[in-house]
Amino acid sequence: MGYELRVVRESPLAFAELARAIAPAGFELRGTDEIVAGHAGERHTVARWRDQLVGEPGSDWQVAQLLRLSSALGARLVGEDGEVYALRDGVMEVETPGGVTELGKFEEIIDAGPAAWSP
């Protein structure tokens, strides 16, 4: 299992609410627990439903998709260590107790697609 990012809201997210919200935001439900997004004619897993939305991104594109999904659900994107991912003025950021780090321009990351991170 990789590093997890969670979609967190003040009020709990019900599965029925998730199912209604994802299609207008450009996501699809595959099976009973997988949220996918498309790029270049292919579908890629963004998150899984485990009584909450959990993603294990392997690319900046997947982090960007998780940010889109969080926004569509009125939620925050939070990492295992408590860091918070956000979109500010078109730039993806991660906030930790040590400060804010820019990850890149959202649209450029979305356009680049789900190329995996190098080890």
Side-chain angles (χ1 to χ4, degrees):
M1 185 181 315
Y3 191 80
E4 292 184 343
L5 299 179
R6 295 173 304 283
V7 175
V8 178
R9 288 191 342 172
E10 296 301 319
S11 61
L13 178 64
F15 183 78
E17 184 180 359
L18 167 70
R20 284 191 306 271
I22 61 173
F27 297 95
E28 296 176 17
L29 182 60
R30 182 165 50 194
T32 59
D33 70 342
E34 198 171 40
I35 310 303
V36 297
H39 182 79
E42 295 183 25
R43 297 283 173 236
H44 303 273
T45 301
V46 173
R48 294 191 189 286
W49 176 256
R50 299 182 191 151
D51 291 326
Q52 67 176 352
L53 280 173
V54 177
E56 294 180 29
S59 70
D60 287 345
W61 181 86
Q62 288 173 308
V63 174
Q65 294 294 349
L66 283 164
L67 272 172
R68 275 189 42 219
L69 184 56
S70 297
S71 177
L73 296 168
R76 296 178 300 133
L77 184 60
V78 180
E80 287 179 13
D81 298 325
E83 72 278 16
V84 177
Y85 294 77
L87 185 61
R88 189 180 332 269
D89 298 325
V91 176
M92 289 177 24
E93 302 177 335
V94 60
E95 183 177 346
T96 65
V100 175
T101 303
E102 290 186 359
L103 301 176
K105 293 183 180 178
F106 180 81
E107 290 301 327
E108 290 176 4
I109 291 169
I110 291 292
D111 291 345
W117 289 317
S118 298

